[in-house]
Amino acid sequence: MNNSNGNTISPVAHTIAGEVEKILYSSEDASYCVVRFLDEDGNQVCARGALGGIAPGQHVVFTGRWENHKEYGRQLKVENYSVTPPVTAEGIQRYLASGILPGIGGKTAKLIVDHFGRETLHILDTAPKKLKDIPGLGKKKIDAIRKAWQENNDQRTLRLQLESFGITPAYFKRITECYGDEAPEKIRDNPYALASDVKGIGFLLADRIAEKAGIGKNNPNRMDAGIKYSFEQMKLTGHICMPEHEFIGYVANLLSVEETVAENALRNALLAGKAERIPSPEFGNVIYEPVMMRLENELPFRISLLLRAQKHAALPILNVPTPPDSTFSQEQINAVNCTGKSAFSILTGGPGVGKTTVISEITRRAGIAKVPVTLAAPTGRAAKRMEETTGREAQTIHRLLKWDPIKKGFVHNKSNPLPTGIYIIDETSMLDILLAVALFRAIPQGATVLLAGDPDQLPSVGPGNVLNDLIDSGICPVSRLTKIFRQGNGSGIIRAAHAVNAGFLPERPVANDGIRDFYWIEKEEPEETADVIERLIADRIPARFGLDPVRDIQLLCPMNRGLAGTIAMNSRLQAILNPANGSQGFSSGERKFLCGDKVMQTVNNYDKNVFNGDMGFLQSVEYGENRFVVDYDGREVEYSFDDADQLVPAYAVTVHKSQGCEFPAVVMPMLSQHYMMLQRNLLYTGITRAKKLMILVGSYKAVSMAVRNAVRTPRYSLLLDKLKREVVS
């Protein structure tokens, strides 16, 4: 019979035993895997399914149906499986090197198994002191192995029980720390509680576990957790709310249930206060997560309070004259004066139009008038860039507001506001509704706020379209700078950015016209594009421009997947740019980390004071302490191996993740296979990340498609309407 993808599947279930040889693919949460294993006759077999807990070297018994996949050939689609420890020396070595024990990599696993052979696991169980007999193993390493194996041994029975639910080794410790020995019973009772109780387990993994536990798709616990998961996914796609009919379809699609089931789940969530419904003239009834509705209501109120103040901090700068020898444009002078006239205003404009000049003049005047000025930005990279361009100290909004890890909230808020003064916030296209409300809660009446940003860039990663809504609402004055100041021979980046933003293709360099700062290398095929990018970053750019391939050059990709996506390119660039540290690292799922690697934080971690998009370098790995250290611009942050899922290699990052950053050199692929992401604001944002050199590698067709596609993906929100109502009132 055929499935929905046209693949042929055997109607008869088969049971097959063998040893796992290699994990070919693992989803980000490690809940779905494709593995290659050797059956008992020595044949290589490919199996796929919800195989959480699988590790190379383990002996497995799979039950499933054979599938002839159109693209990948014959595979076993697994329905059930069981796992036992490996019995062969080769299997034991693969098992120990798979990450089952922190601190044991391929080299250490080989040393141990070469010495003890098939008796390795027995030795580790009964006589671990014998590890000292192995040449090349130091005391610190031996102590770390003994400790890890003892912990593994103490929980082996529990591990086997949890493995039956498809729970991977990465989550054993977290689950047992939360639930203890009662973990199996609690999981059987309600596996969806894992998503809220255990760090790092989301709905998708909990759903896989629930399926293993025999819980059906329409189970009330599943639907309750599914509504919460739907709200999380809404926020990730930028929505603050969603029309009710669309939300029901959204839930049904995410959870693979009938719309009537999703509608009933929403009804229960509304009754329980876990969802809110309000009417909208434009969309009909809209659905909110309660906290998001409160935030959307609060932001207009906070801004209106600021604007109602009779006096504000920046008024005195109007009395400070502009230097007589200044070359300011009238637009820039008007923007400076606008800040002095209004307690809240916005400064916008593309690259090279002098936003930094305006900010610097405001701070100069404020210094003469003895008015305190605070500079901040949503991310550390953006704050550092602000410091470099203004010559004044800048900080992240999170640092400005001061996160309290004990109370899990900001120190500065409506009850404990910031001091009165002028607050200039840069890169505010990145400002989502959550951070915007936190900021304005802490701004006291009498202060002055200037938001600076480029509304034509990509919107914030988080929910909302705050900067554009504020501009369109008319709630405050907006200064738009249009005159380009950075011109001449070195302005290719600026010209390309403005051309793209105006709907024109960037000009392609003429051959042999000397060193420029913008290049477009036309390539059609992904494999050839990836090869060209590798040569550019590893050899050609460093040789011609004298830039460091790791610290100065950043590859920005439209997507994660594909031959020219971040995943594949990170693997290629890591191998060529950081080859000397091959044995000094660790693995987290499919990700490999080496000392010296450039890495990026992918979630906000308030306790460590590192945030989504922060970039640093992996400085050291301490196996005995089960930790590693990342250097963020001179600040060392410690992570446990369990926290490694918060990081990704960052030789290549997506354009979205680069927001607020500026790099000496940027290389960016733009191919037809990226068609889902080919939008004008994505190309424009990528170009504007480059400070000294921008190289576009891609096809004429793909770049043309991006330039023509000025339609922004809609983000559901009623913030604009609520801001307009504040203007009227």
Side-chain angles (χ1 to χ4, degrees), residues 452-659:
D454 186 347
D456 294 320
Q457 290 184 17
L458 288 168
S460 60
V461 175
N465 201 9
V466 174
L467 179 61
N468 281 275
D469 285 346
L470 286 169
I471 291 171
D472 294 342
S473 70
I475 197 171
C476 67
V478 177
S479 299
R480 292 179 173 86
L481 303 182
T482 58
K483 183 180 179 181
I484 301 173
F485 287 87
R486 278 191 273 167
Q487 295 191 30
N489 293 332
S491 64
I493 295 171
I494 303 298
R495 290 199 303 271
H498 283 278
V500 167
N501 202 32
F504 299 102
L505 287 172
E507 63 184 66
R508 284 168 285 181
V510 179
N512 303 317
D513 64 346
I515 292 180
R516 304 165 56 93
D517 69 348
F518 178 81
Y519 296 86
W520 177 2
I521 301 173
E522 286 196 49
K523 294 294 175 186
E524 296 281 347
E525 298 301 322
E527 188 168 355
E528 187 182 8
T529 298
D531 290 340
V532 168
I533 288 171
E534 183 180 306
R535 291 196 300 272
L536 283 169
I537 294 175
D539 299 315
R540 292 169 62 184
I541 296 175
R544 188 169 191 186
F545 296 92
L547 297 173
D548 185 278
V550 177
R551 294 186 175 271
D552 295 334
I553 305 171
Q554 185 61 54
L555 177 60
L556 301 182
C557 304
M559 298 176 70
N560 288 314
R561 300 291 175 187
L563 291 174
T566 62
I567 297 172
M569 292 308 302
N570 268 316
S571 180
R572 291 180 66 149
L573 293 173
Q574 183 188 56
I576 196 168
L577 298 178
N578 193 21
N581 293 311
S583 61
Q584 302 175 36
F586 61 94
S587 295
S588 175
E590 290 294 293
R591 297 169 185 157
K592 182 180 180 182
F593 295 97
L594 305 175
C595 285
D597 273 346
K598 181 160 60 172
V599 296
M600 175 179 277
Q601 178 82 10
T602 60
V603 296
N604 289 338
N605 189 322
Y606 293 97
D607 295 338
K608 296 183 185 296
N609 197 31
V610 286
F611 302 98
N612 188 0
D614 285 354
M615 297 176 73
F617 289 87
L618 182 57
Q619 189 176 63
S620 63
V621 178
E622 300 177 21
Y623 299 107
E625 300 297 326
N626 191 37
R627 68 172 191 158
F628 60 96
V629 177
V630 176
D631 184 307
Y632 292 100
D633 293 322
R635 186 173 67 90
E636 295 183 358
V637 177
E638 294 182 1
Y639 292 83
S640 72
F641 286 129
D642 289 341
D643 292 327
D645 58 358
Q646 298 180 16
L647 296 167
V648 294
Y651 300 98
V653 300
T654 63
V655 180
H656 285 82
K657 288 291 187 183
S658 73
Q659 287 174 263

Side-chain angles (χ1 to χ4, degrees), residues 5-228:
N5 295 319
N7 302 322
T8 304
I9 300 179
S10 168
V12 180
H14 296 266
T15 298
I16 185 169
E19 184 181 288
V20 178
E21 188 178 35
K22 187 176 182 181
I23 308 295
L24 300 176
Y25 170 77
S26 176
S27 62
E28 191 164 337
D29 63 2
S31 60
Y32 174 83
C33 297
V34 180
V35 305
R36 185 174 69 224
F37 71 101
L38 297 174
D39 68 15
E40 292 176 331
D41 294 325
N43 300 312
Q44 282 190 344
V45 178
C46 188
R48 68 179 183 88
L51 305 179
I54 290 287
Q58 290 175 322
H59 187 271
V60 293
V61 179
F62 288 135
T63 299
R65 302 174 193 275
W66 289 110
E67 176 184 62
N68 288 318
H69 195 282
K70 290 189 298 182
E71 187 173 351
Y72 301 113
R74 192 168 186 250
Q75 297 179 334
L76 186 70
K77 186 178 181 183
V78 178
E79 296 170 355
N80 293 292
Y81 70 98
S82 60
V83 177
T84 58
V87 293
T88 66
E90 294 83 0
I92 293 169
Q93 183 175 323
R94 280 194 291 269
Y95 179 64
L96 293 180
S98 69
I100 196 77
L101 295 180
I104 296 185
K107 185 178 178 181
T108 304
K110 187 175 188 305
L111 280 175
I112 297 172
V113 177
D114 281 352
H115 195 84
F116 295 123
R118 295 177 63 179
E119 294 298 308
T120 296
L121 300 186
H122 178 69
I123 294 295
L124 289 172
D125 277 338
T126 60
K129 290 182 179 179
K130 291 185 178 181
L131 288 168
K132 71 180 188 318
D133 299 334
I134 302 175
L137 278 190
K139 184 178 183 303
K140 190 174 182 181
K141 188 80 166 181
I142 290 172
D143 289 344
I145 294 170
R146 289 177 63 182
K147 180 182 177 183
W149 186 257
Q150 185 60 49
E151 290 176 354
N152 179 281
N153 194 42
D154 290 344
Q155 298 184 22
R156 190 166 299 167
T157 301
L158 185 57
R159 282 173 182 269
L160 291 173
Q161 287 180 289
L162 297 186
E163 278 182 1
S164 69
F165 295 123
I167 294 171
T168 65
Y171 297 108
F172 289 150
K173 185 177 179 181
R174 300 182 196 182
I175 292 173
T176 53
E177 283 179 350
C178 183
Y179 293 150
D181 294 339
E182 297 178 356
E185 291 75 21
K186 286 186 174 291
I187 290 170
R188 287 190 193 95
D189 182 50
N190 180 15
Y192 295 99
L194 288 166
S196 56
D197 294 345
V198 181
K199 179 183 176 183
I201 294 186
F203 174 82
L204 290 179
L205 181 53
D207 204 32
R208 298 278 189 186
I209 295 167
E211 187 177 7
K212 284 280 186 182
I215 292 176
K217 287 187 177 296
N218 296 351
N219 179 275
N221 285 331
R222 181 176 190 266
M223 297 311 301
D224 181 55
I227 292 291
K228 182 179 179 181

Side-chain angles (χ1 to χ4, degrees), residues 520-533 555-559 561-566 568-569 572 655 667-679 682-683 695-707:
W520 177 2
I521 301 173
E522 286 196 49
K523 294 294 175 186
E524 296 281 347
E525 298 301 322
E527 188 168 355
E528 187 182 8
T529 298
D531 290 340
V532 168
I533 288 171
L555 177 60
L556 301 182
C557 304
M559 298 176 70
R561 300 291 175 187
L563 291 174
T566 62
M569 292 308 302
R572 291 180 66 149
V655 180
V667 179
M668 183 177 174
M670 186 68 62
L671 299 168
S672 297
Q673 68 172 198
H674 300 142
Y675 69 93
M676 292 181 63
M677 302 298 295
L678 295 181
Q679 292 182 305
L682 181 133
L683 177 56
I695 301 180
L696 192 62
V697 185
S699 69
Y700 180 88
K701 179 181 178 182
V703 175
S704 299
M705 190 183 304
V707 169

Side-chain angles (χ1 to χ4, degrees), residues 423-480:
Y423 291 88
I424 302 176
I425 314 299
D426 200 8
E427 294 289 354
T428 50
S429 61
M430 302 174 65
L431 203 61
D432 62 25
I433 189 73
L434 295 92
L435 192 54
V437 171
L439 173 66
F440 281 96
R441 278 176 181 166
I443 300 292
Q445 274 193 301
T448 304
V449 175
L450 173 65
L451 300 185
D454 186 347
D456 294 320
Q457 290 184 17
L458 288 168
S460 60
V461 175
N465 201 9
V466 174
L467 179 61
N468 281 275
D469 285 346
L470 286 169
I471 291 171
D472 294 342
S473 70
I475 197 171
C476 67
V478 177
S479 299
R480 292 179 173 86

Side-chain angles (χ1 to χ4, degrees), residues 313-314 317 339 343 359-360 362-367 370-378 382-383 386-387 390-402 412 417-428 439 442-444 447-452:
I317 74 170
T339 303
I359 293 171
S360 296
I362 292 170
T363 58
R364 185 194 72 82
R365 291 192 188 186
K370 298 192 178 341
V371 179
V373 177
T374 299
L375 306 183
M386 198 178 189
E387 279 189 352
T390 63
R392 293 178 55 94
E393 181 184 358
Q395 59 191 310
T396 64
I397 296 173
H398 296 89
R399 183 179 163 204
L400 171 66
L401 301 180
K402 295 181 182 176
H412 290 295
L418 292 160
T420 300
I422 300 173
Y423 291 88
I424 302 176
I425 314 299
D426 200 8
E427 294 289 354
T428 50
L439 173 66
I443 300 292
T448 304
V449 175
L450 173 65
L451 300 185

